[in-house]
C-alpha cells in the first residue's frame, strides 16, 4: 500500500468526505460520523488533520481496530508530508491543564476539607468540556438530585457512652481487605479529566489501599492500567491491600465480548462488574448543549439533531427508536447472557445498576455474587430511584438477598457518614464516583489521596458519634428511614410478593 500524501488527506475535511490521521495512518471516517458516541463535531473539527493526540485523551489507540469499520483504513501517511495536513487550532480550552491562563487559581489541596471542595476546585481549573463530562446528568437532573437528597433523608439514631475512642473502619470486598468500606467507582475516559488518566487515579488508590473498579471505557488499555497498579505496588514494597476490579460493558459483537472477558482475566482483575443500566446512553443534557455548540462551530447548523442521531443506514436504528447501536453498549443483553459469562468468568460477578427488588432477586437466582444498586450517578434513566431507595425495597421485599450477596450502593455520596447509613442498612461497601474524579482533575493522584482522607475522617468521627467501634456493629435500628419509606413503591396486594 503506497503512502498517502498529507496534502491529499487535508482535502477531505467536510462532513460528506471526512478523513483523519491516527497513529500515522489515514482513515475515511465519513460513514462513522453519525455513529460516534461523542458526536460528529469533535471528529469534524479534526477532519483532514492528525487527530492522534485528541483521540488519545478519550480512548486507547486499539479502539481504532475495534470500532472503525475495516474499510475505513486508507493507508499509511508519508511521514515527509505531515506538515501538509490540515492544521487544527490548538485550543487551550480542550486541554486539561492547570497552566491555562484563563483558569482560575487552584486552591491549595489542604483547603479541600469536604468532598464538594474538590468539585469547586475542578470547576475552577478544568476545561469547560471536561467539567461538563464529569458533572452532567440525565434529562432535567432529577435522578442526580434524588441521589444527593436521599442520603440526608435518612438520619441516625446514635447511642451514647459506649467507649468509642478507637474505631476500626476495615471492610472486605469479596475477601479482599480494605481500610475503608468505600471504593472508587468506574468512570470512563479519565484522560479528558487529567493527562495521567486512569494510571494517575490508580496510583492514588494504591497509596491509600482502597479498591477501585476500572471502566471498560477507560482512556488507557486494561493492560496499561494493571501495569501501573503493579508498578505502584512494587514501589510500595507490595504493602497496599488495593485490588482492581473490572467494569464490563458487554460489546455488541459476541466474539469481542468473549475476548474482552478473557483479557480481563489474563490481566488479573479480581472481579467483573457488569453494567446493566446502560443498554443505550441516557440523555446527557449538558453534553447535548455542548455537542450542539460544537456542531454549529464546524458548520453543522443545517443538520437537525434527529438526522444525526438516526444513525443513517444503521440497521438497528428503527428498533432503537432512531438511536444507533454503539459498539460499546449492547441493548440486546438479557439475563440469559449471564449463563455464557459465568462459563467464561469464574471470579466474583456483580451486576452494576440494579434498581428494583425483582432484579435483585433475579441476580441472585442467576448466580451473581454481588449487586450494585446504582442509577449510574443519575446519568441514565430520568427519575430513577436512588440506590438507598432500592436498598429499602430489597429490605422490604427480598431481604434474603442481603445475606446471600455482597450488596454495594453508589450515587451522590458526598460524606463519610453516608457510607455508615448504607452499611447500617445491610450494604457491604459503597462506591464513590465524581468526588474522586474531581479530585483527580484538580490535583492528580494527590487529590485522590486527599479525597480518601476526607471521607475516612468523616467516617471515623461518624462511627464514634454513632456509638460503634467496628463496622460489624452497624445495625438497621441505628438509622431512621421513615421519610424514605413513606415514598417507597408498594405493590398491589400480593402481586409482586409472589414474584419475589
Ligand atoms: C464521568 C463519569 C463517567 C462514568 N463512566 C462510567 C463507566 O464507564 N462505566 C460505568 O459502569 N459507570 C460509569 N459511571 C457511573 C459510576 O460508575 C457511578 O455509578 C456513579 O458515578 C456514582 O455516582 P457519583 O458520581 O454521584 O458518586 C460514570 C460516572 C461519571 C460521573
Amino acid at each position: 500500500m503506497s503512502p498517502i500524501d498529507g496534502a491529499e488527506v487535508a482535502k477531505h475535511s467536510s462532513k460528506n468526505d471526512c478523513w483523519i490521521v491516527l497513529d500515522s495512518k489515514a482513515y475515511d471516517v465519513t460513514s462513522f460520523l453519525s455513529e460516534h458516541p461523542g458526536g460528529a463535531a469533535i471528529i469534524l473539527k479534526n477532519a483532514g488533520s492528525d487527530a492522534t493526540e485528541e483521540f488519545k485523551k478519550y480512548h486507547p489507540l486499539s479502539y481504532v481496530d475495534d470500532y472503525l469499520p475495516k474499510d475505513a483504513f486508507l493507508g499509511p501517511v508519508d511521514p515527509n508530508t505531515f506538515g501538509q495536513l490540515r492544521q487544527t487550532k490548538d485550543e487551550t480550552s480542550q486541554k486539561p491543564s492547570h497552566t491555562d491562563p484563563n483558569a482560575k487559581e487552584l486552591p491549595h489541596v489542604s483547603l479541600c476539607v469536604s468532598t464538594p471542595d474538590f468539585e469547586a476546585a475542578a470547576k475552577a481549573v478544568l476545561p469547560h468540556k471536561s467539567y461538563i463530562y464529569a458533572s452532567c446528568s440525565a434529562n432535567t437532573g432529577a435522578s442526580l438530585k434524588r441521589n444527593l437528597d436521599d442520603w440526608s433523608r435518612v438520619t441516625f439514631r446514635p447511642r451514647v457512652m459506649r467507649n468509642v475512642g478507637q474505631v476500626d473502619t476495615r471492610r472486605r470486598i469479596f475477601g479482599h481487605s480494605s481500610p475503608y468500606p468505600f471504593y472508587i467507582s468506574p468512570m470512563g475516559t479519565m484522560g479528558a479529566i487529567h493527562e495521567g488518566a486512569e494510571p494517575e487515579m490508580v496510583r492514588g488508590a494504591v497509596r491509600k489501599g482502597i479498591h477501585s473498579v476500572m471502566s471498560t471505557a477507560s482512556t488507557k488499555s486494561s493492560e496499561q492500567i494493571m501495569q501501573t497498579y503493579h508498578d505502584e505496588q512494587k514501589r510500595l514494597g507490595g504493602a497496599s491491600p488495593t485490588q482492581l476490579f473490572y467494569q464490563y460493558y458487554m460489546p455488541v459483537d459476541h466474539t469481542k465480548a468473549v475476548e474482552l472477558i478473557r483479557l480481563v482475566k489474563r490481566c488479573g482483575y479480581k472481579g467483573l462488574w457488569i453494567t446493566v443500566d446502560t443498554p443505550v446512553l441516557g440523555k446527557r443534557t449538558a453534553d447535548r448543549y455542548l455537542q450542539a455548540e460544537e456542531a454549529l462551530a464546524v458548520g453543522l447548523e443545517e443538520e437537525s439533531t434527529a438526522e444525526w442521531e438516526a444513525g443513517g443506514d444503521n440497521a438497528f436504528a428503527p428498533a432503537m427508536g432512531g438511536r444507533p447501536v454503539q459498539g460499546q453498549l449492547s441493548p440486546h443483553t438479557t439475563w440469559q447472557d449471564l449463563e455464557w459469562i459465568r462459563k467464561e468468568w469464574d471470579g466474583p460477578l456483580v451486576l452494576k445498576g440494579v434498581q428494583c427488588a425483582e432484579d435483585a432477586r433475579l441476580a441472585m437466582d442467576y448466580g451473581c455474587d454481588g449487586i450494585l444498586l446504582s442509577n449510574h450517578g443519575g446519568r441514565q434513566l430520568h427519575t430513577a430511584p436512588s440506590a438507598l431507595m432500592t436498598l429499602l425495597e430489597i429490605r422490604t421485599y427480598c431481604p434474603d438477598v442481603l445475606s446471600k450477596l455482597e450488596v454495594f450502593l453508589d450515587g451522590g455520596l458526598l460524606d463519610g457518614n453516608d457510607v455508615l447509613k448504607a452499611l447500617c442498612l445491610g450494604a457491604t461497601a459503597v462506591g464513590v464516583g465524581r468526588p474522586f474524579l474531581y479530585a483527580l482533575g484538580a490535583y492528580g493522584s494527590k487529590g485522590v489521596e486527599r479525597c480518601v482522607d476526607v471521607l475516612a475522617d468523616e467516617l471515623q468521627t461518624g462511627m464514634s458519634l454513632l456509638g460503634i467501634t467496628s463496622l460489624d456493629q452497624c445495625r438497621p435500628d441505628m438509622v431512621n428511614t421513615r421519610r424514605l419509606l413513606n415514598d417507597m413503591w408498594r405493590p398491589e396486594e400480593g402481586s409482586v410478593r409472589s414474584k419475589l
Side-chain angles (χ1 to χ4, degrees):
M1 199 174 255
S2 55
I4 302 173
D5 250 32
E8 180 59 31
V9 176
K11 285 184 203 158
H12 304 264
S13 59
S14 71
K15 67 176 194 280
N16 298 321
D17 180 17
C18 180
W19 291 11
I20 56 169
V21 174
L22 291 170
D23 201 22
S24 308
K25 297 172 199 121
Y27 295 87
D28 180 346
V29 290
T30 317
S31 65
F32 183 69
L33 285 175
S34 59
E35 287 173 33
H36 184 229
I42 180 82
I43 303 182
L44 273 174
K45 225 192 250 174
N46 290 283
S49 77
D50 186 351
T52 312
E53 288 312 310
E54 185 67 12
F55 187 92
K56 276 166 47 184
K57 272 189 224 164
Y58 301 96
H59 319 288
L61 274 172
S62 60
Y63 265 39
V64 174
D65 297 329
D66 290 343
Y67 293 106
L68 280 186
K70 292 281 166 278
D71 59 1
F73 177 59
L74 298 167
V77 178
D78 179 350
N80 299 320
T81 64
F82 263 55
Q84 296 162 23
L85 287 167
R86 202 181 131 241
Q87 301 300 310
T88 52
K89 262 193 278 159
D90 179 16
E91 295 171 33
T92 39
S93 68
Q94 295 291 315
K95 279 192 200 158
S97 163
H98 305 147
T99 51
D100 181 343
N102 299 320
K104 293 191 210 120
E105 206 180 320
L106 181 69
H108 192 278
V109 71
S110 326
L111 291 169
C112 292
V113 295
S114 303
T115 62
D117 298 329
F118 294 108
E119 175 167 7
K123 196 171 181 182
V125 295
L126 283 183
H128 179 61
K129 185 171 174 157
S130 304
Y131 176 70
I132 291 294
Y133 166 62
S135 62
C136 72
S137 57
N139 303 69
T140 61
S143 296
L144 174 63
K145 186 169 183 308
R146 184 148 305 160
N147 284 355
L148 294 163
D149 290 350
D150 278 359
W151 289 107
S152 42
R153 293 176 74 205
V154 171
T155 50
F156 285 119
R157 298 185 64 244
R159 302 302 304 267
V160 296
M161 301 176 73
R162 298 223 153 195
N163 187 13
V164 289
Q166 288 278 321
V167 296
D168 180 353
T169 57
R170 283 173 302 172
R171 201 19 72 116
R172 285 176 179 275
I173 296 182
F174 296 118
H176 302 291
S177 152
S178 166
Y180 308 112
F182 54 84
Y183 64 87
I184 303 177
S185 295
M187 287 168 288
T189 41
M190 289 187 192
I193 300 295
H194 189 278
E195 50 256 320
E198 293 81 14
E200 187 71 6
M201 182 74 96
V202 166
R203 280 189 278 271
V206 174
R207 283 185 214 134
K208 283 292 167 187
I210 62 163
H211 301 320
S212 191
V213 184
M214 306 314 299
S215 166
T216 301
S218 289
T219 304
K220 301 291 178 188
S221 72
S222 312
E223 295 96 321
Q224 277 174 302
I225 294 169
M226 192 47 100
Q227 189 57 50
T228 306
Y229 167 79
H230 287 304
D231 291 347
E232 195 60 22
Q233 280 284 17
K234 203 164 155 200
R235 216 179 57 76
L236 299 175
S240 171
T242 298
Q243 296 293 348
L244 299 187
F245 302 90
Y246 193 87
Q247 175 271 318
Y248 181 70
Y249 276 137
M250 195 174 95
V252 175
D253 181 294
H254 183 69
T255 311
K256 282 184 183 153
V258 175
E259 276 168 8
L260 181 56
I261 292 186
R262 292 181 184 168
L263 171 73
V264 170
K265 203 162 153 178
R266 276 201 306 281
C267 286
Y269 289 87
K270 297 294 179 202
L272 197 68
W273 301 53
I274 308 173
T275 298
V276 290
D277 58 13
T278 317
V280 295
L281 200 68
K283 178 180 177 178
R284 312 276 164 91
T285 311
D287 231 16
R288 294 274 184 99
Y289 282 122
L290 205 64
Q291 284 190 17
E293 281 163 19
E294 283 183 344
L296 288 172
V298 291
L300 289 179
E301 67 272 22
E302 280 153 37
E303 297 293 342
S304 83
T305 321
E307 275 173 319
W308 279 104
E309 286 184 356
D313 56 0
N314 190 310
F316 294 107
M320 293 298 300
R323 290 185 68 81
V325 175
Q326 282 131 16
Q328 244 182 18
L329 304 177
S330 174
H332 314 298
T333 309
T334 67
W335 290 93
Q336 279 67 46
D337 284 300
L338 289 175
E339 286 161 11
W340 70 259
I341 290 175
R342 204 17 132 190
K343 286 192 191 122
E344 287 292 334
W345 181 264
D346 47 11
L349 200 63
V350 178
L351 286 197
K352 176 179 189 289
V354 169
Q355 294 165 82
C356 68
E358 292 93 321
D359 282 349
R361 157 77 69 204
L362 269 178
M364 189 170 82
D365 293 347
Y366 272 89
C368 292
D369 303 288
I371 47 175
L372 166 49
L373 316 181
S374 168
N375 63 23
H376 214 102
R379 292 159 81 87
Q380 284 295 107
L381 180 66
H382 179 53
T383 58
S386 68
L388 262 178
M389 187 61 97
T390 307
L391 181 59
L392 290 189
E393 229 184 81
I394 293 170
R395 290 187 64 78
T396 308
Y397 299 115
C398 51
D400 52 320
V401 168
L402 291 167
S403 56
K404 299 206 177 104
L405 302 185
E406 298 214 354
V407 175
F408 308 97
L409 269 71
D410 78 19
L413 192 128
L414 298 179
D415 194 297
N417 285 286
D418 295 332
V419 181
L420 268 183
K421 293 174 192 171
L423 267 57
C424 286
L425 291 168
T428 309
V430 175
V432 180
R434 290 185 189 85
F436 280 114
L437 199 60
Y438 294 133
L440 174 79
Y443 304 102
S445 57
K446 288 274 167 253
V448 177
E449 290 182 62
R450 176 79 182 174
C451 191
V452 173
D453 289 344
V454 165
L455 289 168
D457 175 52
E458 289 164 349
L459 174 70
Q460 280 158 353
T461 308
M463 287 174 72
S464 296
L465 296 177
L466 184 59
I468 58 172
T469 52
S470 119
L471 295 175
D472 299 338
Q473 295 163 12
C474 285
R475 296 277 176 273
D477 60 16
M478 290 171 178
V479 287
N480 178 349
T481 55
R482 181 160 289 273
R483 282 199 289 168
L484 274 192
L485 278 172
N486 276 342
D487 280 2
M488 196 179 73
W489 169 84
R490 299 190 198 272
E492 282 164 30
E493 202 53 44
S495 65
V496 168
R497 235 174 241 281
S498 58
K499 269 189 242 154
L500 284 166

